[in-house]
Amino acid sequence: MGNSSQFEVHDASILENARAILEKAGSAKDMADAVIRAVQRNEEWRGKRCINLLAPEAPTSPTVRQLLASEIGTRAAEGHIGRVNRWFAGTQYIDEVESLCVELLKKAFRCNYADHRLMGSMLGNMAVYHALVQPGDRVMSASQPFGGHSSNRPDGPAGTRGLEIYDIPYDPDELEVDLDKFTEEAQRIRPKLVVMGMSMTLFPLPVREMTSIITEWGGKFVFDGAHQAGLIAGGQFQDPLNEGAAILTGSAGKTFSGPQSGMIMWNDPSLTKPITEAIFPVLVATHQVNRVAALAVAAAEILEFGRVYMAQIVKNAQALGQALDSRGVPVLAAHRGYTRTHQVIANVRQFGGGLEVAHRLAEANIISNKNLIPGDTPADWDRPSGLRMGTIEVTRLGMMEQEMETIAEFMARVLVNGEDPELVRRDVEDFRLPMQDFYYNFDNGWPTAQEGG
Ligand SMILES: *Cc1c(COP(=O)(O)O)cnc(C)c1O
């Protein structure tokens, strides 16, 4: 049992509250019920009554959710697909599910190779750092204030490999890679890998240009497309593997709208052995076959609905950006049309900063996250100036550009007019409660405004 002097990385008071709940419970069954009630409260609130604008979140289709609870998820299937490759017998149907998943991923991403076993795209990136570089090698990646992600930085998987990690130079006004500076520094550093993993992602990246510079010394470009995977598969963003990237990693639960997990795709046969051997037996053993089945169906949904679904996500993000900006909430990259992805980034410094604003909006049932933006320094890490929003969930609920106006109006009432979030929350609930079905899937088809696709 913990006590107040025990070191915790978690919020100690929340852990203490959990202990109090367990102590008050009369039996282990009551303890289990306490867990279930918390899940139900989340479902009732986040699931039914909130406008979820978290950019890395996507609602799955009813079928995908159902598959996550399927019997196949209780089976163990280590190793590569096939009778001889597996340690266990009895895996013929599992092989069928997994091979369908692999082939569906290849179709969705128009590539030669894909792996289905990663339980997060963090692991996809780790596979890259395990397979393609050695301690002491040099890599270049984007830093966090410009949207980079810890996966590719000293504090994440890349850092655990003892690499020398350099920043990719960025233009803070255009929010894009400063190609001149990159060329200069890359030629000096001669990195083995250049990894673009953008958690804040508004515009396509110069994959072709950067690749052509680093191939001079055999450097490889890795596109960590955690956020953009669905947009890429749906043909609504750049196509990194076609533009020179050697490897594309992606999260299955962000724009791709499948079960939270990872995917990795490539074309070059010489990468197959190093990558797949980094996945098994290094990073995963049993890899959740229920999740693989769900991922396979999510890939089929993208094949059928992805083009229109992803296009609407982008249109909605642009509409939300415009609608917020015109109501006095400054949005980044206004001069470039705000965004070409699912994301919108606001500068909310004048309203108290990202942390404060995200929590105030959450009181009005509008869920977003604080975000570092250019100009923030390391001291701003916990209290950055930015607010990141994404339009995946609202789009899958069937919303169109017109509804983005409504959402921006709710936000402006809290931030610009200083209205009591509790009052705005009532209107948010009235708006949200009638919309409970997720579209762009085989269960519910197209939203009525897009009947027939
Ligand atoms: C979210 C994210 C990841 C991690 O993805 P998980 O699927 O949550 O493991 C990796 N890289 C980038 C750029 C991300 O935004």
Side-chain angles (χ1 to χ4, degrees), residues 46-66:
R46 293 291 302 280
K48 301 199 174 115
R49 296 171 178 273
C50 284
I51 297 171
N52 292 292
L53 298 175
L54 277 188
E57 246 177 38
T60 54
S61 67
T63 298
V64 165
R65 256 178 79 173
Q66 219 169 19

Side-chain angles (χ1 to χ4, degrees), residues 56 118-125 147-152 196-201 224-228 249-254 259-263 343 388:
L118 303 165
M119 280 176 289
S121 102
M122 284 306 249
L123 291 181
N125 294 331
H149 187 263
S150 61
S151 341
N152 309 305
M196 292 294 288
M198 308 309 287
S199 300
M200 177 168 77
T201 170
D224 167 1
H227 268 271
Q228 309 94 336
T249 58
S251 293
K254 297 181 184 174
Q260 288 181 346
S261 57
M263 310 177 284
Q343 293 189 6
R388 184 180 63 166

Side-chain angles (χ1 to χ4, degrees), residues 177-245:
V177 176
D178 184 329
L179 268 178
D180 291 338
K181 275 203 191 131
F182 171 78
T183 308
E184 210 180 290
E185 293 191 19
Q187 277 165 348
R188 180 171 56 79
I189 296 164
R190 296 170 77 86
K192 207 157 175 187
L193 297 181
V194 166
V195 187
M196 292 294 288
M198 308 309 287
S199 300
M200 177 168 77
T201 170
L202 297 174
F203 301 102
L205 302 168
V207 177
R208 249 183 244 288
E209 293 84 343
M210 294 171 84
T211 305
S212 78
I213 292 158
I214 62 177
T215 41
E216 210 179 289
W217 53 86
K220 285 192 166 58
F221 191 100
V222 177
F223 196 106
D224 167 1
H227 268 271
Q228 309 94 336
L231 302 172
I232 292 168
Q236 301 304 316
F237 201 57
Q238 63 191 143
D239 191 354
L241 289 175
N242 248 319
E243 295 166 15

Side-chain angles (χ1 to χ4, degrees), residues 77-82 85-86 98 101-102 105 114-121 123-124 261-264 266 272-273 275-281 283-289 291-292 295:
E78 293 182 12
H80 306 309
I81 296 167
N85 297 329
R86 304 255 199 216
E98 291 193 17
C101 184
V102 168
L105 287 177
D115 204 284
H116 58 297
R117 288 170 291 188
L118 303 165
M119 280 176 289
S121 102
L123 291 181
S261 57
M263 310 177 284
I264 185 166
W266 66 99
T272 302
K273 212 171 139 60
I275 290 174
T276 48
E277 289 184 351
I279 294 169
F280 179 83
L283 296 174
V284 288
T286 47
H287 47 255
Q288 307 169 332
V289 188
R291 178 194 59 75
V292 176
L295 176 59

Side-chain angles (χ1 to χ4, degrees), residues 14-46:
I14 297 176
L15 290 180
E16 196 177 307
N17 185 49
R19 285 196 298 276
I21 291 170
L22 298 182
E23 259 153 49
K24 227 175 79 192
S27 66
K29 170 72 168 59
D30 286 349
M31 297 180 190
D33 286 343
V35 175
I36 291 160
R37 278 196 304 274
V39 170
Q40 286 167 341
R41 280 198 295 272
N42 197 68
E43 180 164 354
E44 181 60 32
W45 183 50
R46 293 291 302 280

